[in-house]
Amino acid sequence: MARTPDPIPDQHGRRFVITGANGGLGAVVTRALAAAGATVIMACRDPEKGRAIADAAGGDITVAAVDLSDLKDVRRFAQSCGEFDVLINNAALMNVPFTRTADGFETQFGVNHLGHFALTGLLLDRIRDRVVSLSSISHGWTHALPLDDLRFERRRYSRSAAYAESKLATL
């Protein structure tokens, strides 16, 4: 059964920042909010893909580069933001091979949780309404966060475990 968004009330005068807006759910939300009159800032790792979506969607959309795997870039992006209404933490990586972020964290945990956690903290004084952080049912694939080894330094790397842990941390 296909699911379509319920009608979205008029969003004129409201500003949204959406991470990972250059694909998947982020692109769908961008289009729906722009069609309802919102101003949307697409926070994308790949601005070229973001621009193509923004151009096709029309509306008041801007594209801004941000790499959630680099906390220095997260800080740079946050410093460029003015006030807005809603932050939608949507970007995620899933089941990628083992790599580390610029700051030395396992990449899925670094992007899916830590990058958004840092971004939210840096923007809190500019968010007028709310923060929406997306997770998934995959948080149920793990029962606890291994706080003593979130970086996979002492345990065998598992793509699915790393993803599940990042989503549990988000919750």
Side-chain angles (χ1 to χ4, degrees):
M1 174 174 145
R3 173 85 169 118
T4 58
D6 291 334
I8 297 173
D10 181 65
Q11 297 296 311
H12 284 89
R14 293 180 46 87
R15 291 172 44 101
F16 293 77
V17 173
I18 307 172
T19 67
N22 57 295
L25 186 59
V28 171
V29 172
T30 294
R31 287 190 290 269
L33 288 170
T39 296
V40 178
I41 297 118
M42 299 174 68
C44 303
R45 183 181 46 171
D46 185 342
E48 291 304 313
K49 283 176 68 176
R51 277 190 259 299
I53 290 165
D55 291 345
D60 188 3
I61 302 172
T62 58
V63 179
V66 64
D67 183 352
L68 292 167
S69 73
D70 184 341
L71 295 177
K72 182 191 261 184
D73 198 52
V74 170
R75 183 172 299 281
R76 178 207 51 80
F77 173 78
Q79 290 170 343
S80 73
C81 289
E83 277 197 348
F84 59 97
D85 297 288
V86 179
L87 171 62
I88 301 176
N89 290 323
N90 166 71
L93 298 174
M94 183 178 182
N95 294 335
V96 298
F98 182 76
T99 56
R100 293 202 182 277
T101 66
D103 305 288
F105 299 102
E106 184 279 322
T107 299
Q108 290 180 98
F109 194 78
V111 169
N112 301 357
H113 177 64
L114 295 175
H116 284 125
F117 184 85
L119 181 62
T120 302
L122 291 165
L123 293 174
L124 271 179
D125 63 341
R126 287 168 265 168
I127 301 170
R128 292 186 292 252
D129 191 0
R130 70 188 66 203
V131 176
V132 177
S133 293
L134 281 73
S135 189
S136 78
I137 62 170
S138 67
H139 74 275
W141 300 345
T142 187
H143 301 291
L145 287 175
L147 296 175
D148 61 335
D149 193 20
L150 291 172
R151 295 178 189 229
F152 285 90
E153 294 174 323
R154 293 181 302 283
R155 60 190 170 122
R156 186 170 166 237
Y157 181 68
S158 164
R159 294 174 186 203
S160 61
Y163 182 73
E165 290 165 11
S166 75
K167 293 305 179 176
L168 181 59
T170 297
L171 288 177

